[in-house]
Amino acid sequence: MTDNYAARDLATIAHPYANLATLPDQGPVVMERGDGVYVYDSAGKPYLEGMSGLWCASLGFSNAELVEAAREQMARLPFNHLFAGRSHDPAIALAEKLKDMAPIPVSRVFFCNSGSEANDTQIKLVWYMNNALGRPNKKKIISRQRAYHGVTIASASLTGLPGNHADFDLPIAGILHTACPHHYRYALEGESEEDFATRLANELEEMILREGPDTVAAFIAEPVMGAGGVIVPPAGYFEKIQAVLDRHDVYMIADEVICGFGRLGEMFGSQALGMRPVSMSLAKALSAAYMPISAVLIPERMYQAMVDESRKNGAFYHGFTYSGHPVAAAVALKTIEIYERDDIVGHVRKVAPLFQQRLREFTEHPLVGEARGMGLMGALELVADRATKTAFPAKAGVGAMFTRYAAEEGLIARSLGDSMALCPPLIITESEIDLLFARLAIALDRTTVWVNSTLK
């Protein structure tokens, strides 16, 4: 049963984020094992995993300590839940640790299984809190165009990408989207980063006033946008946005699903970008992706509202079977221990300058409109015309061709439209960064030849 993986896959699996109409022609790529920053397919070919899987495998693909933490916990208590007051040591210890290390005041920690579930829970808790506080109309949530916050009905509504809404009947009512803070794409002619940030803050305030401040509950943001194209906000952006939120009693939620746990050179992305959120969503690197787990960090005001509603309704009627799963919690605890013991944040600070330098060496490449990034996260935006910033037609498939060539060269990158994203494991070394960009350069040059021969 181990032969002919492709046929077996195509006969049984519905793949997320794949073109299901063309996948049978291309076939799946089946991965069999991992080692450090590399993964190996079923033919034995190694790939430098330039995306940490999906922004998540922060400690690479062969950390024996995480494997052993899972094994030990599975042998001792493979499952228990947190419903109706039941608990277990890994969840308690992890909640304590997250409260202790969070850059914001935290009353309680609510565990989920994914970033989507965490952000979905954020919406429910904001609504729940405002009902408890006697503010039943203060329910609207403002997200941003090109944001990515998940794929459940509610979190996909927060997501500001058209493909996540088309034919899913999304977004749901009460979810709004303000402008994307991408200076290269959306600034006016001659508009500085600071002026652009000021304009976006003014547009946000106009939206709040238009909707009515008594109807707007929260604003959610990634410190650096991930799936929207690795968008680093302009200078002063979050400071100006926060001033607007403060004026209108609008609660800021930080989606730290990608940026949390060292990605930007601070333990949390909010610290790197000067954000002052009231609550945070954590996932992905929380367990280095070795087990599914996420968390919502709840402020005291919200928790007291939850207590009041429990008194009124008889219980807090929200939760998941696997909330705080003991094996996932044990792996997350070990992950955080490794981050702190091995100074992973310090390592990111050491190697990120080289990563960003090598990324920006492509700024003058004839196919690159912008090279952007922060910490160990970056993107190259491919354009048809550098002078006018004209994008390639979506149907041309330039991004897909680049990722195909990159894979052939042994590099996994991800095309977000025509933005080529990179987000390598935090343990990557300087020599591996050089190798990553050497392979990327070959793939980019091959893409250029293909563009010139096919599209021009």
Side-chain angles (χ1 to χ4, degrees), residues 313-368:
N313 296 324
F316 172 59
Y317 290 103
H318 177 63
F320 306 96
T321 301
Y322 301 124
S323 290
H325 190 287
V327 180
V331 171
L333 274 169
K334 179 59 69 172
T335 300
I336 295 171
E337 177 188 323
I338 294 169
Y339 291 152
E340 295 182 337
R341 183 196 69 208
D342 295 352
D343 190 18
I344 293 297
V345 173
H347 175 73
V348 172
R349 290 175 182 165
K350 176 186 174 185
V351 302
L354 175 63
F355 180 87
Q356 294 299 328
Q357 173 197 323
R358 295 300 310 272
L359 181 74
R360 283 164 174 76
E361 287 173 1
F362 295 93
T363 299
E364 300 303 319
H365 191 283
L367 213 58
V368 175

Short mmCIF file of all heavy atoms in Angstrom, two decimals, residues 313-368:
data_model
loop_
_atom_site.label_atom_id
_atom_site.label_comp_id
_atom_site.label_asym_id
_atom_site.label_seq_id
_atom_site.Cartn_x
_atom_site.Cartn_y
_atom_site.Cartn_z
N ASN A 313 -26.62 32.47 32.57
CA ASN A 313 -27.06 31.39 31.67
C ASN A 313 -26.80 29.98 32.20
O ASN A 313 -27.23 29.01 31.60
CB ASN A 313 -26.36 31.54 30.31
CG ASN A 313 -26.76 32.82 29.60
OD1 ASN A 313 -27.91 33.24 29.68
ND2 ASN A 313 -25.81 33.44 28.92
N GLY A 314 -26.04 29.88 33.29
CA GLY A 314 -25.78 28.58 33.88
C GLY A 314 -24.45 27.97 33.53
O GLY A 314 -24.01 27.01 34.18
N ALA A 315 -23.78 28.50 32.49
CA ALA A 315 -22.46 28.01 32.10
C ALA A 315 -21.92 28.89 30.99
O ALA A 315 -22.66 29.69 30.39
CB ALA A 315 -22.52 26.56 31.62
N PHE A 316 -20.65 28.76 30.70
CA PHE A 316 -20.02 29.40 29.54
C PHE A 316 -20.07 28.36 28.42
O PHE A 316 -19.28 27.42 28.40
CB PHE A 316 -18.58 29.79 29.89
CG PHE A 316 -17.78 30.28 28.71
CD1 PHE A 316 -18.20 31.39 27.98
CD2 PHE A 316 -16.60 29.65 28.34
CE1 PHE A 316 -17.46 31.84 26.90
CE2 PHE A 316 -15.86 30.09 27.26
CZ PHE A 316 -16.29 31.20 26.53
N TYR A 317 -21.01 28.54 27.52
CA TYR A 317 -21.30 27.52 26.52
C TYR A 317 -20.45 27.69 25.26
O TYR A 317 -20.95 27.95 24.16
CB TYR A 317 -22.78 27.54 26.17
CG TYR A 317 -23.68 27.04 27.29
CD1 TYR A 317 -24.40 27.94 28.08
CD2 TYR A 317 -23.79 25.68 27.57
CE1 TYR A 317 -25.21 27.48 29.12
CE2 TYR A 317 -24.59 25.22 28.60
CZ TYR A 317 -25.30 26.13 29.36
OH TYR A 317 -26.12 25.68 30.39
N HIS A 318 -19.15 27.51 25.42
CA HIS A 318 -18.24 27.56 24.28
C HIS A 318 -17.03 26.70 24.61
O HIS A 318 -16.57 26.66 25.76
CB HIS A 318 -17.79 29.00 23.99
CG HIS A 318 -16.79 29.10 22.87
ND1 HIS A 318 -17.09 28.74 21.57
CD2 HIS A 318 -15.50 29.53 22.85
CE1 HIS A 318 -16.02 28.95 20.80
NE2 HIS A 318 -15.05 29.42 21.56
N GLY A 319 -16.51 26.00 23.62
CA GLY A 319 -15.32 25.17 23.84
C GLY A 319 -15.25 24.07 22.81
O GLY A 319 -16.20 23.82 22.06
N PHE A 320 -14.10 23.41 22.77
CA PHE A 320 -13.84 22.36 21.79
C PHE A 320 -13.40 21.08 22.51
O PHE A 320 -12.74 21.14 23.55
CB PHE A 320 -12.75 22.80 20.82
CG PHE A 320 -13.04 24.11 20.15
CD1 PHE A 320 -12.51 25.30 20.65
CD2 PHE A 320 -13.85 24.17 19.02
CE1 PHE A 320 -12.79 26.51 20.03
CE2 PHE A 320 -14.14 25.38 18.41
CZ PHE A 320 -13.60 26.55 18.91
N THR A 321 -13.76 19.95 21.96
CA THR A 321 -13.34 18.68 22.55
C THR A 321 -11.85 18.67 22.86
O THR A 321 -11.42 18.18 23.90
CB THR A 321 -13.66 17.53 21.57
OG1 THR A 321 -15.07 17.51 21.31
CG2 THR A 321 -13.22 16.18 22.14
N TYR A 322 -11.07 19.22 21.95
CA TYR A 322 -9.62 19.15 22.09
C TYR A 322 -9.01 20.44 22.64
O TYR A 322 -7.79 20.63 22.52
CB TYR A 322 -8.98 18.78 20.75
CG TYR A 322 -9.46 17.45 20.22
CD1 TYR A 322 -10.03 17.34 18.96
CD2 TYR A 322 -9.35 16.30 21.00
CE1 TYR A 322 -10.48 16.12 18.47
CE2 TYR A 322 -9.80 15.07 20.52
CZ TYR A 322 -10.35 14.98 19.27
OH TYR A 322 -10.80 13.78 18.80
N SER A 323 -9.81 21.33 23.22
CA SER A 323 -9.26 22.54 23.85
C SER A 323 -8.24 22.15 24.91
O SER A 323 -8.56 21.43 25.85
CB SER A 323 -10.37 23.36 24.50
OG SER A 323 -11.20 23.97 23.55
N GLY A 324 -6.99 22.61 24.76
CA GLY A 324 -5.97 22.29 25.74
C GLY A 324 -5.61 20.82 25.78
O GLY A 324 -5.24 20.30 26.84
N HIS A 325 -5.69 20.14 24.66
CA HIS A 325 -5.36 18.71 24.60
C HIS A 325 -4.03 18.47 25.32
O HIS A 325 -3.04 19.18 25.09
CB HIS A 325 -5.25 18.27 23.14
CG HIS A 325 -5.15 16.80 22.95
ND1 HIS A 325 -4.01 16.08 23.27
CD2 HIS A 325 -6.05 15.89 22.48
CE1 HIS A 325 -4.20 14.80 22.99
NE2 HIS A 325 -5.43 14.66 22.51
N PRO A 326 -3.95 17.48 26.21
CA PRO A 326 -2.74 17.33 27.03
C PRO A 326 -1.46 17.09 26.24
O PRO A 326 -0.40 17.57 26.62
CB PRO A 326 -3.07 16.16 27.95
CG PRO A 326 -4.25 15.47 27.34
CD PRO A 326 -5.00 16.52 26.60
N VAL A 327 -1.54 16.33 25.15
CA VAL A 327 -0.34 16.09 24.36
C VAL A 327 0.11 17.37 23.66
O VAL A 327 1.29 17.73 23.66
CB VAL A 327 -0.55 14.95 23.35
CG1 VAL A 327 0.73 14.72 22.53
CG2 VAL A 327 -0.96 13.66 24.07
N ALA A 328 -0.84 18.09 23.08
CA ALA A 328 -0.51 19.35 22.41
C ALA A 328 0.04 20.36 23.42
O ALA A 328 1.01 21.08 23.13
CB ALA A 328 -1.74 19.91 21.71
N ALA A 329 -0.58 20.44 24.61
CA ALA A 329 -0.11 21.37 25.62
C ALA A 329 1.30 21.02 26.09
O ALA A 329 2.14 21.91 26.30
CB ALA A 329 -1.08 21.40 26.79
N ALA A 330 1.58 19.73 26.26
CA ALA A 330 2.92 19.31 26.68
C ALA A 330 3.97 19.68 25.63
O ALA A 330 5.07 20.13 25.96
CB ALA A 330 2.93 17.81 26.94
N VAL A 331 3.62 19.49 24.36
CA VAL A 331 4.55 19.85 23.29
C VAL A 331 4.75 21.36 23.24
O VAL A 331 5.88 21.85 23.04
CB VAL A 331 4.04 19.30 21.94
CG1 VAL A 331 4.88 19.85 20.78
CG2 VAL A 331 4.10 17.78 21.94
N ALA A 332 3.67 22.13 23.44
CA ALA A 332 3.80 23.59 23.45
C ALA A 332 4.70 24.05 24.60
O ALA A 332 5.53 24.95 24.43
CB ALA A 332 2.42 24.23 23.55
N LEU A 333 4.55 23.45 25.75
CA LEU A 333 5.41 23.80 26.89
C LEU A 333 6.87 23.54 26.58
O LEU A 333 7.75 24.36 26.87
CB LEU A 333 5.00 23.00 28.12
CG LEU A 333 3.89 23.57 28.99
CD1 LEU A 333 3.42 22.51 29.99
CD2 LEU A 333 4.38 24.82 29.73
N LYS A 334 7.15 22.39 25.99
CA LYS A 334 8.53 22.07 25.63
C LYS A 334 9.04 23.03 24.56
O LYS A 334 10.21 23.43 24.58
CB LYS A 334 8.63 20.61 25.16
CG LYS A 334 10.01 20.17 24.73
CD LYS A 334 11.05 20.31 25.85
CE LYS A 334 10.82 19.31 26.97
NZ LYS A 334 11.95 19.33 27.94
N THR A 335 8.18 23.40 23.62
CA THR A 335 8.56 24.35 22.57
C THR A 335 9.00 25.67 23.18
O THR A 335 10.05 26.22 22.82
CB THR A 335 7.39 24.58 21.60
OG1 THR A 335 7.02 23.34 20.99
CG2 THR A 335 7.75 25.58 20.53
N ILE A 336 8.20 26.20 24.11
CA ILE A 336 8.55 27.47 24.75
C ILE A 336 9.83 27.33 25.57
O ILE A 336 10.68 28.24 25.58
CB ILE A 336 7.38 27.96 25.62
CG1 ILE A 336 6.16 28.29 24.73
CG2 ILE A 336 7.78 29.18 26.45
CD1 ILE A 336 4.89 28.57 25.51
N GLU A 337 9.99 26.19 26.22
CA GLU A 337 11.24 25.94 26.96
C GLU A 337 12.44 26.03 26.02
O GLU A 337 13.48 26.63 26.37
CB GLU A 337 11.19 24.56 27.62
CG GLU A 337 12.46 24.18 28.35
CD GLU A 337 12.45 22.74 28.84
OE1 GLU A 337 11.37 22.25 29.26
OE2 GLU A 337 13.52 22.09 28.78
N ILE A 338 12.33 25.44 24.84
CA ILE A 338 13.43 25.48 23.87
C ILE A 338 13.66 26.90 23.38
O ILE A 338 14.82 27.35 23.27
CB ILE A 338 13.13 24.53 22.69
CG1 ILE A 338 13.14 23.07 23.18
CG2 ILE A 338 14.13 24.72 21.56
CD1 ILE A 338 12.61 22.08 22.16
N TYR A 339 12.60 27.64 23.09
CA TYR A 339 12.77 29.03 22.67
C TYR A 339 13.60 29.80 23.69
O TYR A 339 14.51 30.55 23.33
CB TYR A 339 11.41 29.73 22.53
CG TYR A 339 10.53 29.27 21.39
CD1 TYR A 339 9.15 29.37 21.48
CD2 TYR A 339 11.06 28.78 20.20
CE1 TYR A 339 8.32 28.98 20.45
CE2 TYR A 339 10.24 28.38 19.16
CZ TYR A 339 8.87 28.49 19.29
OH TYR A 339 8.05 28.10 18.25
N GLU A 340 13.26 29.64 24.96
CA GLU A 340 13.92 30.41 26.01
C GLU A 340 15.33 29.88 26.29
O GLU A 340 16.29 30.66 26.38
CB GLU A 340 13.06 30.42 27.27
CG GLU A 340 11.73 31.14 27.08
CD GLU A 340 10.88 31.19 28.33
OE1 GLU A 340 11.07 30.33 29.21
OE2 GLU A 340 10.03 32.09 28.42
N ARG A 341 15.46 28.57 26.41
CA ARG A 341 16.77 27.98 26.74
C ARG A 341 17.80 28.23 25.65
O ARG A 341 18.96 28.57 25.93
CB ARG A 341 16.58 26.48 26.95
CG ARG A 341 17.85 25.73 27.36
CD ARG A 341 17.66 24.24 27.16
NE ARG A 341 17.59 23.87 25.76
CZ ARG A 341 16.94 22.82 25.28
NH1 ARG A 341 16.27 22.01 26.08
NH2 ARG A 341 16.96 22.56 23.98
N ASP A 342 17.38 28.08 24.40
CA ASP A 342 18.31 28.21 23.28
C ASP A 342 18.36 29.62 22.70
O ASP A 342 19.01 29.86 21.68
CB ASP A 342 17.95 27.22 22.17
CG ASP A 342 18.12 25.77 22.61
OD1 ASP A 342 18.66 25.54 23.71
OD2 ASP A 342 17.68 24.88 21.86
N ASP A 343 17.66 30.56 23.33
CA ASP A 343 17.61 31.96 22.89
C ASP A 343 17.30 32.05 21.39
O ASP A 343 18.05 32.62 20.60
CB ASP A 343 18.92 32.68 23.20
CG ASP A 343 18.83 34.19 22.97
OD1 ASP A 343 17.69 34.71 22.91
OD2 ASP A 343 19.90 34.84 22.85
N ILE A 344 16.19 31.45 21.02
CA ILE A 344 15.78 31.45 19.62
C ILE A 344 15.55 32.87 19.13
O ILE A 344 15.89 33.21 17.98
CB ILE A 344 14.53 30.58 19.42
CG1 ILE A 344 14.86 29.10 19.68
CG2 ILE A 344 13.96 30.75 18.01
CD1 ILE A 344 15.87 28.49 18.75
N VAL A 345 14.99 33.74 19.97
CA VAL A 345 14.79 35.13 19.56
C VAL A 345 16.13 35.79 19.28
O VAL A 345 16.28 36.53 18.29
CB VAL A 345 14.00 35.90 20.63
CG1 VAL A 345 13.94 37.39 20.28
CG2 VAL A 345 12.58 35.36 20.75
N GLY A 346 17.13 35.52 20.13
CA GLY A 346 18.46 36.05 19.88
C GLY A 346 19.05 35.54 18.58
O GLY A 346 19.73 36.28 17.85
N HIS A 347 18.80 34.27 18.29
CA HIS A 347 19.28 33.70 17.02
C HIS A 347 18.63 34.40 15.83
O HIS A 347 19.30 34.71 14.84
CB HIS A 347 18.99 32.20 16.98
CG HIS A 347 19.35 31.56 15.68
ND1 HIS A 347 20.65 31.33 15.29
CD2 HIS A 347 18.57 31.14 14.64
CE1 HIS A 347 20.66 30.78 14.09
NE2 HIS A 347 19.42 30.65 13.68
N VAL A 348 17.32 34.65 15.94
CA VAL A 348 16.63 35.36 14.86
C VAL A 348 17.25 36.74 14.67
O VAL A 348 17.51 37.17 13.53
CB VAL A 348 15.12 35.47 15.14
CG1 VAL A 348 14.44 36.38 14.12
CG2 VAL A 348 14.47 34.08 15.14
N ARG A 349 17.51 37.44 15.75
CA ARG A 349 18.12 38.76 15.63
C ARG A 349 19.49 38.69 14.97
O ARG A 349 19.91 39.60 14.26
CB ARG A 349 18.24 39.40 17.01
CG ARG A 349 16.91 39.80 17.62
CD ARG A 349 17.12 40.32 19.03
NE ARG A 349 15.86 40.68 19.66
CZ ARG A 349 15.70 40.89 20.97
NH1 ARG A 349 16.76 40.77 21.78
NH2 ARG A 349 14.54 41.21 21.45
N LYS A 350 20.20 37.59 15.21
CA LYS A 350 21.54 37.43 14.64
C LYS A 350 21.49 37.18 13.14
O LYS A 350 22.28 37.76 12.37
CB LYS A 350 22.25 36.27 15.33
CG LYS A 350 23.63 35.96 14.75
CD LYS A 350 24.23 34.71 15.37
CE LYS A 350 25.54 34.32 14.67
NZ LYS A 350 26.07 33.04 15.17
N VAL A 351 20.57 36.30 12.69
CA VAL A 351 20.58 35.91 11.28
C VAL A 351 19.63 36.72 10.41
O VAL A 351 19.78 36.75 9.18
CB VAL A 351 20.27 34.40 11.11
CG1 VAL A 351 21.27 33.56 11.89
CG2 VAL A 351 18.84 34.07 11.54
N ALA A 352 18.65 37.41 11.01
CA ALA A 352 17.67 38.16 10.22
C ALA A 352 18.31 39.25 9.37
O ALA A 352 17.86 39.47 8.23
CB ALA A 352 16.59 38.75 11.12
N PRO A 353 19.33 39.98 9.85
CA PRO A 353 19.94 40.98 8.97
C PRO A 353 20.47 40.40 7.66
O PRO A 353 20.31 41.01 6.59
CB PRO A 353 21.06 41.57 9.84
CG PRO A 353 20.58 41.40 11.24
CD PRO A 353 19.87 40.08 11.23
N LEU A 354 21.08 39.21 7.72
CA LEU A 354 21.54 38.57 6.49
C LEU A 354 20.35 38.19 5.62
O LEU A 354 20.38 38.39 4.40
CB LEU A 354 22.37 37.33 6.82
CG LEU A 354 22.81 36.50 5.60
CD1 LEU A 354 23.72 37.32 4.69
CD2 LEU A 354 23.51 35.21 6.04
N PHE A 355 19.31 37.62 6.23
CA PHE A 355 18.11 37.24 5.47
C PHE A 355 17.54 38.45 4.74
O PHE A 355 17.23 38.38 3.54
CB PHE A 355 17.08 36.64 6.43
CG PHE A 355 15.80 36.21 5.77
CD1 PHE A 355 15.68 34.94 5.21
CD2 PHE A 355 14.70 37.06 5.70
CE1 PHE A 355 14.49 34.54 4.60
CE2 PHE A 355 13.52 36.67 5.11
CZ PHE A 355 13.41 35.40 4.55
N GLN A 356 17.39 39.57 5.46
CA GLN A 356 16.81 40.76 4.83
C GLN A 356 17.75 41.36 3.79
O GLN A 356 17.29 41.86 2.75
CB GLN A 356 16.46 41.79 5.91
CG GLN A 356 15.35 41.34 6.85
CD GLN A 356 14.03 41.09 6.15
OE1 GLN A 356 13.71 41.73 5.15
NE2 GLN A 356 13.25 40.15 6.66
N GLN A 357 19.06 41.30 4.04
CA GLN A 357 20.03 41.80 3.06
C GLN A 357 19.94 40.99 1.77
O GLN A 357 19.89 41.56 0.67
CB GLN A 357 21.44 41.71 3.63
CG GLN A 357 22.54 42.04 2.63
CD GLN A 357 23.90 41.56 3.08
OE1 GLN A 357 24.21 41.60 4.27
NE2 GLN A 357 24.72 41.08 2.16
N ARG A 358 19.94 39.67 1.90
CA ARG A 358 19.88 38.82 0.71
C ARG A 358 18.56 39.01 -0.03
O ARG A 358 18.53 39.01 -1.26
CB ARG A 358 20.07 37.34 1.09
CG ARG A 358 21.44 36.98 1.66
CD ARG A 358 22.57 37.28 0.68
NE ARG A 358 22.36 36.74 -0.64
CZ ARG A 358 22.70 35.52 -1.04
NH1 ARG A 358 23.31 34.71 -0.18
NH2 ARG A 358 22.47 35.11 -2.25
N LEU A 359 17.47 39.19 0.72
CA LEU A 359 16.17 39.44 0.10
C LEU A 359 16.22 40.71 -0.74
O LEU A 359 15.75 40.74 -1.89
CB LEU A 359 15.10 39.56 1.20
CG LEU A 359 13.67 39.80 0.74
CD1 LEU A 359 13.08 38.52 0.16
CD2 LEU A 359 12.81 40.28 1.92
N ARG A 360 16.79 41.76 -0.18
CA ARG A 360 16.79 43.06 -0.86
C ARG A 360 17.80 43.16 -1.99
O ARG A 360 17.79 44.12 -2.76
CB ARG A 360 16.96 44.18 0.17
CG ARG A 360 15.66 44.43 0.93
CD ARG A 360 15.83 45.23 2.21
NE ARG A 360 14.53 45.56 2.79
CZ ARG A 360 13.76 44.70 3.46
NH1 ARG A 360 14.15 43.45 3.64
NH2 ARG A 360 12.59 45.08 3.95
N GLU A 361 18.66 42.17 -2.11
CA GLU A 361 19.56 42.14 -3.26
C GLU A 361 18.78 41.96 -4.57
O GLU A 361 19.32 42.23 -5.65
CB GLU A 361 20.58 41.01 -3.10
CG GLU A 361 21.64 41.30 -2.05
CD GLU A 361 22.55 40.11 -1.77
OE1 GLU A 361 22.36 39.05 -2.43
OE2 GLU A 361 23.44 40.22 -0.91
N PHE A 362 17.53 41.52 -4.46
CA PHE A 362 16.71 41.32 -5.65
C PHE A 362 15.90 42.56 -6.03
O PHE A 362 15.11 42.52 -6.98
CB PHE A 362 15.76 40.12 -5.44
CG PHE A 362 16.48 38.82 -5.29
CD1 PHE A 362 16.83 38.33 -4.04
CD2 PHE A 362 16.85 38.09 -6.41
CE1 PHE A 362 17.51 37.13 -3.90
CE2 PHE A 362 17.53 36.88 -6.27
CZ PHE A 362 17.87 36.41 -5.02
N THR A 363 16.11 43.66 -5.32
CA THR A 363 15.33 44.87 -5.55
C THR A 363 15.45 45.36 -7.00
O THR A 363 14.48 45.89 -7.57
CB THR A 363 15.77 45.99 -4.59
OG1 THR A 363 15.54 45.55 -3.24
CG2 THR A 363 14.98 47.27 -4.83
N GLU A 364 16.62 45.20 -7.60
CA GLU A 364 16.83 45.69 -8.97
C GLU A 364 16.62 44.61 -10.03
O GLU A 364 16.86 44.85 -11.21
CB GLU A 364 18.25 46.27 -9.09
CG GLU A 364 18.54 47.42 -8.14
CD GLU A 364 17.55 48.57 -8.31
OE1 GLU A 364 17.20 48.89 -9.47
OE2 GLU A 364 17.13 49.13 -7.28
N HIS A 365 16.17 43.43 -9.61
CA HIS A 365 15.92 42.38 -10.59
C HIS A 365 14.80 42.82 -11.53
O HIS A 365 13.82 43.43 -11.10
CB HIS A 365 15.53 41.08 -9.87
CG HIS A 365 15.51 39.89 -10.75
ND1 HIS A 365 14.47 39.63 -11.63
CD2 HIS A 365 16.40 38.87 -10.92
CE1 HIS A 365 14.71 38.51 -12.27
NE2 HIS A 365 15.88 38.03 -11.86
N PRO A 366 14.92 42.55 -12.83
CA PRO A 366 13.92 43.05 -13.79
C PRO A 366 12.50 42.56 -13.55
O PRO A 366 11.54 43.17 -14.04
CB PRO A 366 14.43 42.55 -15.14
CG PRO A 366 15.44 41.49 -14.83
CD PRO A 366 16.02 41.85 -13.51
N LEU A 367 12.33 41.49 -12.79
CA LEU A 367 10.99 40.96 -12.54
C LEU A 367 10.42 41.40 -11.18
O LEU A 367 9.26 41.15 -10.90
CB LEU A 367 11.05 39.42 -12.58
CG LEU A 367 9.83 38.67 -13.12
CD1 LEU A 367 9.51 39.10 -14.54
CD2 LEU A 367 10.08 37.16 -13.07
N VAL A 368 11.25 42.04 -10.35
CA VAL A 368 10.85 42.35 -8.98
C VAL A 368 10.45 43.82 -8.84
O VAL A 368 11.25 44.72 -9.14
CB VAL A 368 12.00 42.01 -8.00
CG1 VAL A 368 11.64 42.45 -6.57
CG2 VAL A 368 12.28 40.51 -8.03
#
